[in-house]
Amino acid sequence: MKFEVEQISTETVKPSSPTPHHLRHYQLSFLDQLCPNTYNPLVFYYHLKDNDDITEISNKIKTSLSEVLTLYYPLAGRVVSDRFVDCNDEGVSYSVARVTTPSRLSDALKNPNPNEICKLLPFELFPITEFALGVQLNIFGCGGIAIALCITHKLADALSCIMFAKIWVTLARGEADRVPRPEFSASTLFPPKVEPLYDVTAGASKEIITKRFVFEASKIKDIRLEHQSNDVQKSPSRIESLSAFIWNRYVAAIKDELLEETEKGYTLIHAANIRTRLEPQLPEHSFGNISRVGVVVLKTGEEYGYEVTKLIREGIRKLDVEYLEKVKKGEDEFLDLIMSYSRGITERGGQSISLCFSSLCRFPIYDTDFGWGKPIWVSSANLCFTNFVAFMDSKSGDGIEAYIALKKEHMTKLEADKDFLRVVSSVGAI
């Protein structure tokens, strides 16, 4: 369904208390420098009661946003030269918009389209604006709202965004005594480099197609069974199994484009939170880009089932203390492997085939209760990079939604794959 959204107002919200002078310079970490200048989007959808007042809701959002910015002071500053944040309290963007079509939130959630969801966001996902954070309150005509936020990936990974939202709503409920203070130790652990090695933003594109597919619990169970080995006691996880399945269906879908006599490189990349992999471990409210990627290099691209899930698990297991100690020194052997391997294939006239996966599953995205109830749905929006898959829990908690971004022609082929269609649906959000 097409969305029509009219912006009513826009203003700047500043921290409720000034940032102390000794905190005015927030240094980006080496891992922050490696992240793209794009926004991470999250949209929270709520039903309202008949007696809920929109003006009061908007004021509550603004007041609590101002309060949480005193804790997350870098978000109210301005990024300078991809090296540091001037924490000058200039504030974040807050806008209010009216959704004229569809007028009912329930209609918007029947078969949500990531491209249309982007109309609920305060900004385009790239290029980024001067703001590190933007919030937009979207008002549906018949008893519903959607609160959308965009946080620059240059400062925050997915878990940082989610923990920001969780602490924000806790303050909104008047429970300040339950709020943990975010930790800002990333640049100490991972000191920045004078010049970043790679410009990953260059790969961002608006010419790709993002679609949302739902894997229901029963289908996930079947896929896990298909990817299980009789010789191994521990079954593959839901994410390992779905990643392997999507990889296999993607390779099968584009097989007619693979030239028989041409060298081919196959890589499967999986992002992982490293807070609990460090020694000592970091708490979940540690802010920044504190994640790395496990890399799988496949020999033929035709590896299947348990063979692929085993390689995914091994790739993530290699994100160990020894590897992370090297990252602290500014050495990322797996990122170097990805870049050099694919570049070498391309320079020799070969074909590089890859998929990158990220998962927000098991993160507390449905705990975002401002005081008018938990969200009935939480969504992402379009993805900025092709050949990218993002997993999120469904509202029920036992299903998984996959946001898949591909070139238009590859998406058409994937959607025509019978084995893929057999297990996915694009059903409504609730």
Side-chain angles (χ1 to χ4, degrees):
M1 177 178 288
K2 292 285 186 180
F3 287 8
E4 292 184 15
V5 181
E6 297 177 355
Q7 197 165 87
I8 301 170
S9 64
T10 301
E11 61 186 289
T12 299
V13 175
K14 298 185 177 183
S16 57
S17 299
T19 299
H21 182 75
H22 71 281
L23 298 177
R24 288 287 296 262
H25 184 97
Y26 175 80
Q27 186 70 58
L28 269 63
S29 74
F30 168 53
L31 302 186
D32 293 330
Q33 289 179 312
L34 292 173
C35 286
N37 279 306
T38 58
Y39 286 112
N40 286 324
L42 279 174
V43 187
F44 304 89
Y45 304 80
Y46 302 88
H47 276 317
L48 298 181
K49 303 180 182 67
D50 291 340
N51 59 348
D52 285 328
D53 183 272
I54 286 294
T55 301
E56 290 182 4
I57 286 173
S58 181
N59 288 336
K60 188 173 193 177
I61 292 172
K62 286 194 294 182
T63 301
S64 56
L65 180 58
S66 179
E67 292 172 356
V68 76
L69 288 175
T70 64
L71 299 178
Y72 285 90
Y73 55 90
L75 294 177
R78 298 294 180 263
V79 178
V80 179
S81 302
D82 288 348
R83 294 184 182 180
F84 67 94
V85 180
D86 180 6
C87 301
N88 52 22
D89 295 338
E90 289 190 3
V92 305
S93 174
Y94 176 72
S95 51
V96 178
R98 180 182 295 108
V99 183
T100 57
T101 304
S103 61
R104 295 179 181 274
L105 176 58
S106 56
D107 290 337
L109 302 187
K110 286 181 179 177
N111 189 10
N113 181 323
N115 187 57
E116 295 302 309
I117 291 172
C118 285
K119 297 176 182 178
L120 304 177
L121 303 179
F123 314 125
E124 290 190 74
L125 296 176
F126 78 97
I128 62 172
T129 70
E130 63 176 313
F131 296 104
L133 165 67
V135 175
Q136 181 161 302
L137 168 63
N138 299 277
I139 305 166
F140 289 82
C142 300
I145 59 173
I147 301 173
L149 65 148
C150 290
I151 299 180
T152 175
H153 202 338
K154 186 59 69 175
L155 298 185
D157 60 12
L159 182 54
S160 292
C161 297
I162 292 167
M163 293 309 300
F164 167 81
K166 184 177 180 181
I167 291 175
W168 177 18
V169 301
T170 305
L171 290 174
R173 296 196 305 268
E175 301 171 6
D177 57 325
R178 298 180 56 189
V179 170
R181 296 188 71 88
E183 293 189 6
F184 301 100
S185 59
S187 64
T188 302
L189 291 171
F190 306 101
K193 290 198 169 186
V194 175
E195 292 293 338
L197 296 175
Y198 307 108
D199 179 15
V200 292
T201 310
S205 172
K206 297 179 181 178
E207 303 303 317
I208 58 178
I209 301 295
T210 303
K211 292 203 174 182
R212 166 186 166 271
F213 301 95
V214 179
F215 293 85
E216 296 177 349
S218 60
K219 299 297 185 182
I220 296 173
K221 182 179 179 181
D222 293 341
I223 292 172
R224 291 184 71 184
L225 288 173
E226 291 173 4
H227 290 76
Q228 189 169 342
S229 170
N230 295 329
D231 301 328
V232 180
Q233 290 184 345
K234 187 176 180 181
S235 300
S237 70
R238 300 185 307 161
I239 297 303
E240 290 167 347
S241 300
L242 290 180
S243 299
F245 172 77
I246 292 171
W247 166 262
N248 286 136
R249 298 330 312 154
Y250 169 70
V251 173
I254 67 167
K255 194 170 184 178
D256 62 337
E257 297 182 14
L258 304 181
L259 304 176
E260 187 172 344
E261 298 181 359
T262 301
E263 180 184 7
K264 302 170 193 66
Y266 300 93
T267 51
L268 193 154
I269 303 161
H270 230 293
N273 170 31
I274 59 172
R275 289 167 178 79
T276 56
R277 296 175 181 271
L278 292 162
E279 288 187 358
Q281 295 184 6
L282 296 180
E284 63 179 1
H285 51 269
S286 295
F287 185 79
N289 287 288
I290 312 177
S291 56
R292 292 319 305 133
V293 294
V295 181
V296 176
V297 177
L298 299 165
K299 293 180 179 179
T300 67
E302 296 183 359
E303 292 85 352
Y304 189 80
Y306 173 72
E307 187 176 2
V308 181
T309 60
K310 177 185 176 184
L311 290 171
I312 293 172
R313 183 172 296 178
E314 290 175 352
I316 294 179
R317 188 180 294 137
K318 290 177 181 177
L319 304 179
D320 55 19
V321 173
E322 181 180 354
Y323 159 75
L324 293 174
E325 285 300 317
K326 294 179 182 177
V327 177
K328 290 178 182 179
K329 299 174 184 177
E331 304 170 13
D332 191 336
E333 59 186 280
F334 297 142
L335 178 60
D336 292 342
L337 170 63
I338 297 168
M339 304 303 288
S340 61
Y341 180 71
S342 60
R343 183 171 58 245
I345 294 288
T346 303
E347 288 175 351
R348 293 191 294 272
Q351 294 176 283
S352 179
I353 302 96
S354 68
L355 279 183
C356 184
F357 296 85
S358 179
S359 174
L360 277 66
C361 293
R362 308 301 190 197
F363 288 174
I365 59 174
Y366 282 94
D367 290 348
T368 44
D369 179 3
F370 283 88
W372 46 79
K374 292 186 177 183
I376 59 172
W377 188 46
V378 181
S379 81
S380 182
N382 273 355
L383 304 178
C384 297
F385 297 89
T386 189
N387 288 36
F388 199 97
V389 180
F391 295 115
M392 297 179 71
D393 284 320
S394 63
K395 171 64 175 175
S396 64
D398 54 5
I400 292 178
E401 301 178 7
Y403 291 76
I404 302 179
L406 298 172
K407 293 179 181 178
K408 183 177 180 180
E409 61 269 25
H410 291 172
M411 183 65 76
T412 299
K413 292 178 180 180
L414 181 65
E415 289 187 296
D417 183 271
K418 293 181 180 179
D419 288 334
F420 182 74
L421 295 176
R422 175 175 53 87
V423 297
V424 302
S425 64
S426 55
V427 297
I430 57 174

